[in-house]
Amino acid sequence: MAATIKDVARACGVHVSTVSRTFSAPHLVNPATRTRVLAAADDLGYRPNRAARALTTGRTYNMGLIVADIANPFFPPLIKAAQAQARGRDYHVFVADTDEDPRVEEELIRTFAKQVDGVLLCSPRLSNKMIERLAEDVPFVVVNRRIKGMPAVLMNVAQGTKLALDHLAALGHHRIALVSGPIGSWTSNEMQGAAAEAVGLDLVFFGPNQPTEGGGLAVAPEVAACGASAVLAYNDLLALGLIEGLSAMEIGVPDQISVIGFDDILPGRLNRPKLTTVAMPAAAAGRMAVDLLLQSGGEGATVTLDTDLIVRESTGRAP
């Protein structure tokens, strides 16, 4: 016969409720006791009945994680970190991709609402008003979106924008192109807001743009024609596409124009020239989002994570 929760409790000399807590709320159990219970459960082949636990606790022990584009290398580190953090709390994570489409985003949220205890919404494209309406059906933590009264994990885009523009100004650049992302992007709005406060720079704005390599290729001719000696792009994929487009027009980076991205994804480190970028703490954001969702009393809490400029080969002195 299959081992029961009583067998585990008897084997390690604890109460049944301690075994139950070890699987349902491990952070509430003494680490040494938790280790002993898990070892006994493993020896006996005990596996908690998730369906029965859901009936008694009213929780599914599942959470949804919705990202704007799973093909974007920015998101996998966030997803992996969130899954690992959730697994440590005995939660499963269902991952879904909206393909940058707010209609798909709404549909996924409505579907998840019936199956999970909460949703991590990363780089949403829906309006704040619609997200607030959907939050009546399921708890949210939003990543890179500020919504009044809703838990959020923010990466300090304004800080990163200032670091990038200060770096370009120190290299002698004056006319700088700011290539924004898609409509409804909080990151784009933060970039533009921070850039608008820059003193002594001549900024040229291009957007909205698809946050992809193709989006960078498409905007490259406009950027080349505007007379800017440097570009700050919404993300690394856009920046890499832009470099490719400029190269096709025989415009050298960084000799003729400097380029900075956002995110610090692996392809940017492998590109030639290696991409100067604002590093976004994606993994830390994934872990923190899980913690906020599972915290009691976490409603409305906001955590802001620092960003950092990583200088590589795609920026140089103004020609």
Side-chain angles (χ1 to χ4, degrees), residues 3-283:
T4 68
I5 193 170
K6 291 181 180 179
D7 296 329
V8 177
R10 191 179 304 112
C12 53
V14 299
H15 195 273
V16 167
S17 62
T18 302
V19 178
S20 177
R21 267 197 308 277
T22 298
F23 289 98
S24 63
H27 58 291
L28 299 178
V29 180
N30 177 280
T33 303
R34 185 170 66 232
T35 300
R36 199 163 77 251
V37 170
L38 292 175
D42 191 53
D43 288 342
L44 294 170
Y46 171 74
R47 294 292 178 271
N49 186 321
R50 298 180 70 89
R53 185 156 40 124
L55 287 173
T56 58
T57 64
R59 289 184 288 173
T60 65
Y61 294 91
N62 298 320
M63 64 178 69
L65 195 165
I66 299 176
V67 299
D69 180 8
I70 205 166
N72 184 335
F74 168 75
F75 288 110
L78 186 154
I79 293 168
K80 284 183 70 66
Q83 285 183 321
Q85 193 78 352
R87 195 178 301 119
R89 305 286 288 274
D90 199 30
Y91 265 77
H92 292 164
V93 178
F94 300 154
V95 179
D97 167 28
T98 71
D99 201 24
E100 300 283 351
D101 189 332
R103 292 170 299 181
V104 173
E105 193 172 292
E106 180 183 352
E107 179 184 314
L108 285 168
I109 291 168
R110 292 189 186 282
T111 301
F112 273 162
K114 306 165 188 174
Q115 306 173 51
V116 300
D117 297 330
V119 172
L120 312 179
L121 194 55
C122 304
S123 300
R125 302 297 180 234
L126 286 169
S127 68
N128 285 7
K129 187 175 181 179
M130 178 56 75
I131 293 173
E132 288 169 344
R133 190 178 304 163
L134 292 167
E136 296 173 4
D137 299 326
V138 63
F140 280 126
V141 171
V142 286
V143 177
N144 275 2
R145 175 72 70 88
R146 190 189 298 274
I147 302 175
K148 186 176 180 181
M150 193 171 293
V153 179
L154 306 176
M155 301 180 216
N156 200 331
V157 174
Q159 176 190 45
T161 301
K162 185 178 185 305
L163 290 171
L165 293 177
D166 286 350
H167 171 64
L168 293 173
L171 292 171
H173 296 280
H174 174 67
R175 188 168 174 81
I176 300 170
L178 192 79
V179 179
S180 63
I183 294 172
S185 166
W186 175 85
T187 298
S188 269
N189 292 337
E190 288 289 297
M191 285 178 64
Q192 291 177 21
E197 296 178 2
V199 177
L201 296 177
D202 180 15
L203 299 174
V204 189
F205 294 88
F206 294 94
N209 299 283
Q210 284 297 309
T212 61
E213 186 179 357
L217 279 166
V219 78
E222 295 177 66
V223 171
C226 80
S229 64
V231 185
L232 177 58
Y234 167 81
N235 68 4
D236 285 353
L237 288 180
L238 246 172
L240 293 173
L242 185 61
I243 291 173
E244 185 180 348
L246 292 170
S247 177
M249 292 182 281
E250 299 186 349
I251 298 173
V253 175
D255 295 339
Q256 293 169 272
I257 187 166
S258 291
V259 177
I260 298 180
F262 256 84
D263 289 348
D264 189 27
I265 61 174
L266 179 60
R269 300 170 221 163
L270 303 177
N271 192 64
R272 293 296 179 272
K274 294 180 181 179
L275 185 64
T276 296
T277 187
V278 176
M280 301 276 269

